[in-house]
Amino acid sequence: MTLLARAGLFLVLLGLWEAVGRASNPLLAVPPSAVLPALRDLLLLRSYPDLPANVLLTVREIAMAYALAVVAGLACGFALGFNRLIGRAWGPMIAALYAVPAVVWYPSLMLFFGLDAASKIAFGFLLGFFPVTLAVLAGIRQVNPHLVTVARAYGAGPLTVFGRVMVPAMLFTLVGGLRTALALAVVGVIVGEILGSKRGMGALINHAYGLLRTADYVALVLVTLALVVGSDVVASLAERRALKWSE
Amino acid sequence: MTAPDRLIAVERVTKRYATSSGPVEALHDVSLTVGEGEFCTLIGPSGCGKSTLLGMLGGLVHPDSGRVLVDARPVTGPDPRRVATVFQDPGLFPWRTVLENVEFGLELGGSAAARRRAIATELLPPLGLKGFAEKYPRELSGGMKQRVAIGRALAIDTKILLMDEPFGALDEQTRVLMGEWLLDIWRRTRKTVIFVTHSLHEALFLSTRIAVMTARPGRIKSVLDLPLDYPRSMESPELVALRAKLWGEIREESLRAMQ
């Protein structure tokens, strides 16, 4: 039923798009019927023969940015969460920094890291870092102290308490933060590429858009979308596995 | 070797807690001995330090002065080889199944997976949890959760079982049934049980010994021995007389606690 409703909505939207696309200036908007051939040309490497290299570069930038964000976010979150003084002093600052639209930092990131992959990784990292840190902080607050007492009564030392009680108890929040971080790292890298680069999916999108090759532009966006949705599907599968007990 | 009547010895123990309105003395000069195989109940008004005393036996709370001996050795921290604890809040790990919760102590003790699975599986039927091995805690009733927690304590097979108001959160009927069930377990395993409760009925029905504690700061007011057979009838003349005596002692302290 849900599937049917979803398919119905999709068809209605496609129909609307087709109607609006046909009625508009073809330079600004294209109907799905024009996107399909463009998508075919794109996937057959006719319009952009270097698509695979660009996809690969973007994926690698995302992987790098995400890995750095997770490592730094976990380290920072646990350092703040386990150290009351540092946590009190810096916790609010982290939250305040997170509220600043991250894109304001991008110009200086380009100055520091140049126009190549490094600045995109830095931007993806910046976006992914905060949700991980804040999820760790929120997760630590959620651990039921009674469960820690129980584990200690059964002989658990600090490391065992961490591994057997804290981590599983935080997992729900933590996994949510990791998933958000992945989505934001993807956004960071692609926005970074669009704002200024010569390679990567963002650069191709910029190219097509700049030359008013609107059908190609939409096709590239669809490929990027597949990338984003794909990463989120992987993340949600991992999430479901980790949280089997709460179903 | 410990003398069998002194498996547990609490010697002149005092404990103060710092609170926002100044230090509060939870226990004052408390001494108590418990022999092997006894079912000793601590009873007294709320806030009299029963749980603090139990925490000391379990190694989770350290006395400010005095000492606590288990098996003639001073308690310095939790020792799951000798002492297992059941808390009022069952404290089950929600991400573990019933079986995995029962296995928890064995797992920390480093016993092999197959062995701990066998021990835990064997425990489930007497706990009334047959067929619940793969369930998660949120699927269980309050009484069942507490039986899982008791199973987790029994699994590590210690000489001593500490129970901090284990049935306090259950309704009256479940509570009576759980008491009968626990009595059965205790008589079969012959463990030494230290049991904290508010309930006169529970104390009289289960204990070989009852220690009445005073209102804060907690001291041992009196110790009653109950050399009666099991199962006990609340209508028997001995128990009626003991009940009146016990109520007299507790009433006085509860009134003091309310002032």
Side-chain angles (χ1 to χ4, degrees), chain A residues 144 146-156 160 164-166 168-170 244-247, chain B residues 60 78 80 85 87 89-96 104-105 107-108 136 138 149 152-153 156:
Chain A
N144 177 356
H146 181 54
L147 295 185
V148 174
T149 306
V150 170
R152 283 185 51 220
Y154 281 86
T160 311
R164 302 288 172 96
V165 182
M166 309 260 324
M170 295 170 60
K244 213 179 68 181
W245 56 273
S246 66
E247 268 164 24
Chain B
L60 291 167
T85 306
F87 299 88
D89 174 342
L92 301 182
F93 301 106
W95 54 86
R96 286 173 164 254
F104 181 73
E107 203 178 301
L108 294 200
Y136 286 96
R138 63 179 170 76
R152 180 170 62 188
I156 57 175

Short mmCIF file of all heavy atoms in Angstrom, two decimals, chain A residues 144 146-156 160 164-166 168-170 244-247, chain B residues 60 78 80 85 87 89-96 104-105 107-108 136 138 149 152-153 156:
data_model
loop_
_atom_site.label_atom_id
_atom_site.label_comp_id
_atom_site.label_asym_id
_atom_site.label_seq_id
_atom_site.Cartn_x
_atom_site.Cartn_y
_atom_site.Cartn_z
N ASN A 144 22.28 5.22 31.71
CA ASN A 144 21.65 5.04 33.01
C ASN A 144 22.73 4.69 34.04
O ASN A 144 23.34 3.63 33.95
CB ASN A 144 20.61 3.92 32.87
CG ASN A 144 19.95 3.60 34.17
OD1 ASN A 144 20.30 4.15 35.22
ND2 ASN A 144 18.98 2.69 34.12
N HIS A 146 22.59 3.63 36.91
CA HIS A 146 22.33 2.38 37.64
C HIS A 146 22.96 1.18 36.93
O HIS A 146 23.47 0.27 37.57
CB HIS A 146 20.82 2.19 37.81
CG HIS A 146 20.47 0.95 38.57
ND1 HIS A 146 20.97 0.68 39.83
CD2 HIS A 146 19.69 -0.11 38.25
CE1 HIS A 146 20.49 -0.48 40.24
NE2 HIS A 146 19.72 -0.99 39.30
N LEU A 147 22.92 1.19 35.59
CA LEU A 147 23.51 0.08 34.84
C LEU A 147 25.02 0.03 35.07
O LEU A 147 25.62 -1.04 35.09
CB LEU A 147 23.20 0.20 33.35
CG LEU A 147 21.72 0.07 32.96
CD1 LEU A 147 21.56 0.09 31.45
CD2 LEU A 147 21.12 -1.19 33.54
N VAL A 148 25.63 1.22 35.23
CA VAL A 148 27.07 1.26 35.52
C VAL A 148 27.32 0.64 36.90
O VAL A 148 28.25 -0.16 37.08
CB VAL A 148 27.59 2.71 35.46
CG1 VAL A 148 29.04 2.78 35.90
CG2 VAL A 148 27.42 3.28 34.06
N THR A 149 26.46 0.97 37.87
CA THR A 149 26.59 0.39 39.22
C THR A 149 26.46 -1.13 39.15
O THR A 149 27.25 -1.86 39.77
CB THR A 149 25.50 0.96 40.14
OG1 THR A 149 25.57 2.37 40.12
CG2 THR A 149 25.68 0.47 41.57
N VAL A 150 25.46 -1.60 38.41
CA VAL A 150 25.25 -3.05 38.28
C VAL A 150 26.51 -3.71 37.71
O VAL A 150 27.02 -4.69 38.26
CB VAL A 150 24.04 -3.36 37.38
CG1 VAL A 150 23.98 -4.85 37.06
CG2 VAL A 150 22.75 -2.91 38.04
N ALA A 151 27.04 -3.13 36.64
CA ALA A 151 28.23 -3.72 36.01
C ALA A 151 29.40 -3.73 36.99
O ALA A 151 30.14 -4.72 37.08
CB ALA A 151 28.59 -2.95 34.74
N ARG A 152 29.55 -2.64 37.75
CA ARG A 152 30.64 -2.59 38.73
C ARG A 152 30.46 -3.67 39.80
O ARG A 152 31.41 -4.31 40.21
CB ARG A 152 30.70 -1.21 39.38
CG ARG A 152 31.34 -0.16 38.48
CD ARG A 152 31.50 1.16 39.22
NE ARG A 152 32.15 0.96 40.50
CZ ARG A 152 31.81 1.59 41.64
NH1 ARG A 152 30.81 2.44 41.64
NH2 ARG A 152 32.46 1.36 42.75
N ALA A 153 29.21 -3.88 40.22
CA ALA A 153 28.94 -4.92 41.22
C ALA A 153 29.35 -6.30 40.70
O ALA A 153 29.70 -7.18 41.46
CB ALA A 153 27.47 -4.90 41.61
N TYR A 154 29.28 -6.47 39.40
CA TYR A 154 29.68 -7.75 38.81
C TYR A 154 31.15 -7.77 38.41
O TYR A 154 31.57 -8.61 37.63
CB TYR A 154 28.77 -8.09 37.62
CG TYR A 154 27.45 -8.65 38.10
CD1 TYR A 154 26.41 -7.80 38.43
CD2 TYR A 154 27.29 -10.02 38.31
CE1 TYR A 154 25.22 -8.29 38.93
CE2 TYR A 154 26.11 -10.52 38.81
CZ TYR A 154 25.08 -9.66 39.12
OH TYR A 154 23.92 -10.16 39.63
N GLY A 155 31.90 -6.79 38.91
CA GLY A 155 33.34 -6.83 38.75
C GLY A 155 33.88 -6.08 37.55
O GLY A 155 35.05 -6.24 37.20
N ALA A 156 33.06 -5.26 36.90
CA ALA A 156 33.54 -4.54 35.72
C ALA A 156 34.44 -3.38 36.12
O ALA A 156 34.08 -2.59 37.00
CB ALA A 156 32.35 -4.01 34.91
N THR A 160 35.77 -2.14 30.98
CA THR A 160 34.63 -3.02 30.74
C THR A 160 33.33 -2.22 30.81
O THR A 160 32.43 -2.42 29.99
CB THR A 160 34.60 -4.15 31.78
OG1 THR A 160 35.91 -4.72 31.84
CG2 THR A 160 33.61 -5.22 31.41
N ARG A 164 31.04 -2.47 27.67
CA ARG A 164 29.85 -3.31 27.81
C ARG A 164 28.60 -2.53 28.20
O ARG A 164 27.50 -3.04 28.09
CB ARG A 164 30.08 -4.39 28.88
CG ARG A 164 31.24 -5.29 28.61
CD ARG A 164 30.93 -6.23 27.47
NE ARG A 164 32.10 -6.98 27.09
CZ ARG A 164 32.38 -8.20 27.55
NH1 ARG A 164 31.54 -8.79 28.34
NH2 ARG A 164 33.48 -8.80 27.16
N VAL A 165 28.79 -1.32 28.77
CA VAL A 165 27.62 -0.55 29.22
C VAL A 165 27.48 0.77 28.47
O VAL A 165 26.47 1.04 27.83
CB VAL A 165 27.68 -0.29 30.75
CG1 VAL A 165 26.44 0.46 31.19
CG2 VAL A 165 27.80 -1.60 31.50
N MET A 166 28.55 1.59 28.52
CA MET A 166 28.43 2.93 27.94
C MET A 166 28.15 2.87 26.44
O MET A 166 27.19 3.45 25.95
CB MET A 166 29.71 3.74 28.17
CG MET A 166 30.19 3.77 29.59
SD MET A 166 29.79 5.24 30.52
CE MET A 166 29.87 6.56 29.43
N PRO A 168 27.09 0.40 24.33
CA PRO A 168 25.77 -0.07 23.90
C PRO A 168 24.64 0.88 24.32
O PRO A 168 23.68 1.06 23.56
CB PRO A 168 25.61 -1.43 24.60
CG PRO A 168 26.91 -1.77 25.19
CD PRO A 168 27.80 -0.58 25.17
N ALA A 169 24.74 1.49 25.51
CA ALA A 169 23.68 2.38 25.96
C ALA A 169 23.61 3.65 25.11
O ALA A 169 22.56 4.23 24.92
CB ALA A 169 23.88 2.74 27.44
N MET A 170 24.78 4.08 24.59
CA MET A 170 24.82 5.30 23.80
C MET A 170 24.50 5.05 22.34
O MET A 170 24.32 6.00 21.57
CB MET A 170 26.24 5.88 23.83
CG MET A 170 26.72 6.36 25.16
SD MET A 170 28.49 6.72 25.04
CE MET A 170 28.48 7.98 23.77
N LYS A 244 19.15 -3.65 16.88
CA LYS A 244 18.20 -4.76 16.77
C LYS A 244 17.31 -4.89 18.01
O LYS A 244 16.13 -5.16 17.91
CB LYS A 244 18.99 -6.06 16.56
CG LYS A 244 18.30 -7.08 15.70
CD LYS A 244 19.18 -8.31 15.56
CE LYS A 244 19.29 -8.99 16.89
NZ LYS A 244 20.12 -10.17 16.92
N TRP A 245 17.89 -4.67 19.18
CA TRP A 245 17.18 -4.91 20.44
C TRP A 245 16.04 -3.94 20.68
O TRP A 245 15.16 -4.20 21.49
CB TRP A 245 18.13 -4.86 21.61
CG TRP A 245 18.90 -3.58 21.69
CD1 TRP A 245 20.09 -3.29 21.08
CD2 TRP A 245 18.55 -2.39 22.40
NE1 TRP A 245 20.48 -2.02 21.36
CE2 TRP A 245 19.56 -1.44 22.17
CE3 TRP A 245 17.47 -2.04 23.22
CZ2 TRP A 245 19.52 -0.17 22.72
CZ3 TRP A 245 17.44 -0.77 23.76
CH2 TRP A 245 18.46 0.15 23.51
N SER A 246 16.05 -2.78 20.02
CA SER A 246 15.05 -1.77 20.36
C SER A 246 13.84 -1.81 19.44
O SER A 246 12.95 -1.00 19.55
CB SER A 246 15.69 -0.38 20.31
OG SER A 246 16.06 -0.08 18.99
N GLU A 247 13.82 -2.78 18.53
CA GLU A 247 12.72 -2.82 17.56
C GLU A 247 11.37 -3.11 18.23
O GLU A 247 11.31 -3.91 19.13
CB GLU A 247 12.99 -3.91 16.52
CG GLU A 247 13.73 -3.36 15.32
CD GLU A 247 14.35 -4.48 14.49
OE1 GLU A 247 13.86 -5.62 14.57
OE2 GLU A 247 15.32 -4.19 13.78
N LEU B 60 30.56 -1.63 47.01
CA LEU B 60 30.26 -0.45 46.19
C LEU B 60 30.34 0.84 47.00
O LEU B 60 30.45 1.92 46.45
CB LEU B 60 28.87 -0.57 45.56
CG LEU B 60 28.72 -1.65 44.49
CD1 LEU B 60 27.25 -1.89 44.17
CD2 LEU B 60 29.48 -1.26 43.22
N PRO B 78 34.01 -4.47 44.83
CA PRO B 78 33.12 -5.56 44.43
C PRO B 78 33.93 -6.84 44.20
O PRO B 78 35.01 -6.80 43.63
CB PRO B 78 32.52 -5.06 43.11
CG PRO B 78 32.66 -3.58 43.15
CD PRO B 78 33.92 -3.31 43.92
N PRO B 80 32.88 -10.36 42.72
CA PRO B 80 31.84 -11.25 42.19
C PRO B 80 32.14 -12.73 42.40
O PRO B 80 31.28 -13.56 42.10
CB PRO B 80 31.78 -10.88 40.70
CG PRO B 80 33.06 -10.21 40.41
CD PRO B 80 33.53 -9.57 41.67
N THR B 85 24.86 -9.29 43.83
CA THR B 85 23.86 -8.34 44.31
C THR B 85 22.65 -8.28 43.37
O THR B 85 22.80 -8.30 42.15
CB THR B 85 24.48 -6.92 44.42
OG1 THR B 85 25.66 -7.00 45.22
CG2 THR B 85 23.51 -5.95 45.07
N PHE B 87 19.45 -5.65 42.84
CA PHE B 87 19.02 -4.31 43.24
C PHE B 87 17.50 -4.17 43.12
O PHE B 87 16.85 -4.97 42.47
CB PHE B 87 19.68 -3.27 42.34
CG PHE B 87 21.18 -3.27 42.42
CD1 PHE B 87 21.93 -4.10 41.59
CD2 PHE B 87 21.84 -2.46 43.32
CE1 PHE B 87 23.32 -4.11 41.67
CE2 PHE B 87 23.22 -2.47 43.40
CZ PHE B 87 23.97 -3.28 42.58
N ASP B 89 15.87 -1.81 41.50
CA ASP B 89 15.69 -1.65 40.06
C ASP B 89 16.48 -2.78 39.42
O ASP B 89 17.69 -2.87 39.59
CB ASP B 89 16.26 -0.29 39.64
CG ASP B 89 16.24 -0.08 38.13
OD1 ASP B 89 16.12 -1.08 37.39
OD2 ASP B 89 16.36 1.08 37.71
N PRO B 90 15.80 -3.70 38.69
CA PRO B 90 16.50 -4.89 38.20
C PRO B 90 17.79 -4.54 37.44
O PRO B 90 18.75 -5.29 37.47
CB PRO B 90 15.49 -5.54 37.26
CG PRO B 90 14.18 -4.93 37.55
CD PRO B 90 14.39 -3.64 38.27
N GLY B 91 17.80 -3.38 36.76
CA GLY B 91 19.02 -2.97 36.07
C GLY B 91 19.45 -3.95 35.00
O GLY B 91 20.63 -4.25 34.86
N LEU B 92 18.47 -4.45 34.23
CA LEU B 92 18.83 -5.33 33.11
C LEU B 92 19.37 -4.48 31.98
O LEU B 92 18.99 -3.32 31.82
CB LEU B 92 17.60 -6.10 32.63
CG LEU B 92 16.92 -6.99 33.67
CD1 LEU B 92 15.75 -7.73 33.04
CD2 LEU B 92 17.91 -7.96 34.28
N PHE B 93 20.25 -5.07 31.18
CA PHE B 93 20.80 -4.35 30.03
C PHE B 93 19.82 -4.49 28.87
O PHE B 93 19.61 -5.61 28.39
CB PHE B 93 22.18 -4.89 29.68
CG PHE B 93 23.15 -4.79 30.81
CD1 PHE B 93 23.53 -5.90 31.53
CD2 PHE B 93 23.65 -3.55 31.19
CE1 PHE B 93 24.40 -5.79 32.61
CE2 PHE B 93 24.52 -3.43 32.26
CZ PHE B 93 24.90 -4.56 32.97
N PRO B 94 19.20 -3.40 28.44
CA PRO B 94 18.10 -3.50 27.47
C PRO B 94 18.54 -4.05 26.11
O PRO B 94 17.70 -4.52 25.35
CB PRO B 94 17.59 -2.06 27.35
CG PRO B 94 18.66 -1.19 27.91
CD PRO B 94 19.42 -2.01 28.90
N TRP B 95 19.84 -3.99 25.82
CA TRP B 95 20.31 -4.47 24.53
C TRP B 95 20.70 -5.94 24.58
O TRP B 95 21.17 -6.49 23.61
CB TRP B 95 21.50 -3.64 24.05
CG TRP B 95 22.59 -3.56 25.07
CD1 TRP B 95 23.61 -4.45 25.25
CD2 TRP B 95 22.77 -2.56 26.08
NE1 TRP B 95 24.40 -4.07 26.30
CE2 TRP B 95 23.91 -2.91 26.83
CE3 TRP B 95 22.06 -1.40 26.41
CZ2 TRP B 95 24.36 -2.15 27.89
CZ3 TRP B 95 22.54 -0.64 27.48
CH2 TRP B 95 23.67 -1.02 28.20
N ARG B 96 20.52 -6.58 25.74
CA ARG B 96 20.84 -7.99 25.87
C ARG B 96 19.54 -8.78 26.04
O ARG B 96 18.62 -8.32 26.72
CB ARG B 96 21.72 -8.23 27.10
CG ARG B 96 23.14 -7.76 26.91
CD ARG B 96 23.90 -7.88 28.21
NE ARG B 96 25.32 -7.81 27.97
CZ ARG B 96 26.14 -8.86 28.03
NH1 ARG B 96 25.69 -10.04 28.37
NH2 ARG B 96 27.42 -8.72 27.76
N PHE B 104 25.67 -12.35 32.02
CA PHE B 104 26.56 -11.19 32.14
C PHE B 104 27.74 -11.39 33.09
O PHE B 104 28.89 -11.17 32.73
CB PHE B 104 25.75 -9.96 32.56
CG PHE B 104 26.57 -8.71 32.68
CD1 PHE B 104 27.03 -8.05 31.54
CD2 PHE B 104 26.91 -8.17 33.92
CE1 PHE B 104 27.79 -6.90 31.63
CE2 PHE B 104 27.68 -7.02 34.02
CZ PHE B 104 28.11 -6.38 32.88
N GLY B 105 27.43 -11.84 34.32
CA GLY B 105 28.49 -12.01 35.32
C GLY B 105 29.50 -13.06 34.91
O GLY B 105 30.70 -12.91 35.14
N GLU B 107 30.24 -13.86 31.89
CA GLU B 107 31.01 -13.28 30.79
C GLU B 107 32.16 -12.43 31.35
O GLU B 107 33.30 -12.57 30.91
CB GLU B 107 30.05 -12.42 29.97
CG GLU B 107 30.46 -12.16 28.55
CD GLU B 107 29.38 -11.34 27.87
OE1 GLU B 107 28.22 -11.81 27.82
OE2 GLU B 107 29.69 -10.23 27.41
N LEU B 108 31.85 -11.59 32.32
CA LEU B 108 32.90 -10.76 32.92
C LEU B 108 33.92 -11.62 33.65
O LEU B 108 35.10 -11.28 33.71
CB LEU B 108 32.31 -9.75 33.91
CG LEU B 108 31.41 -8.65 33.36
CD1 LEU B 108 31.32 -7.50 34.34
CD2 LEU B 108 31.89 -8.12 32.02
N TYR B 136 13.79 -9.68 24.86
CA TYR B 136 14.50 -8.53 25.39
C TYR B 136 13.75 -8.00 26.62
O TYR B 136 12.53 -8.18 26.71
CB TYR B 136 14.64 -7.45 24.31
CG TYR B 136 15.68 -7.81 23.28
CD1 TYR B 136 15.33 -8.42 22.09
CD2 TYR B 136 17.03 -7.58 23.53
CE1 TYR B 136 16.29 -8.77 21.15
CE2 TYR B 136 18.00 -7.92 22.60
CZ TYR B 136 17.62 -8.52 21.41
OH TYR B 136 18.58 -8.86 20.50
N ARG B 138 12.44 -5.29 27.59
CA ARG B 138 11.23 -4.49 27.47
C ARG B 138 9.99 -5.33 27.20
O ARG B 138 8.87 -4.85 27.30
CB ARG B 138 11.39 -3.42 26.39
CG ARG B 138 11.59 -4.00 25.04
CD ARG B 138 11.72 -3.00 23.92
NE ARG B 138 12.15 -3.71 22.75
CZ ARG B 138 11.36 -4.45 22.01
NH1 ARG B 138 10.09 -4.56 22.29
NH2 ARG B 138 11.83 -5.12 20.98
N ALA B 149 17.08 -10.65 36.86
CA ALA B 149 18.17 -10.06 37.66
C ALA B 149 18.64 -11.05 38.73
O ALA B 149 19.84 -11.15 39.00
CB ALA B 149 17.70 -8.75 38.30
N ARG B 152 20.73 -13.59 37.03
CA ARG B 152 22.07 -13.07 36.76
C ARG B 152 22.94 -13.20 38.01
O ARG B 152 24.14 -13.51 37.92
CB ARG B 152 21.94 -11.59 36.35
CG ARG B 152 23.24 -10.91 36.04
CD ARG B 152 23.00 -9.55 35.42
NE ARG B 152 22.28 -8.65 36.34
CZ ARG B 152 21.81 -7.47 35.99
NH1 ARG B 152 21.97 -7.03 34.76
NH2 ARG B 152 21.16 -6.72 36.86
N ALA B 153 22.33 -12.99 39.19
CA ALA B 153 23.08 -13.12 40.43
C ALA B 153 23.36 -14.58 40.77
O ALA B 153 24.45 -14.92 41.22
CB ALA B 153 22.30 -12.45 41.57
N ILE B 156 26.43 -16.62 38.80
CA ILE B 156 27.85 -16.59 39.18
C ILE B 156 28.11 -17.40 40.46
O ILE B 156 29.23 -17.48 40.93
CB ILE B 156 28.42 -15.16 39.30
CG1 ILE B 156 27.62 -14.33 40.31
CG2 ILE B 156 28.42 -14.47 37.95
CD1 ILE B 156 28.23 -12.94 40.55
#
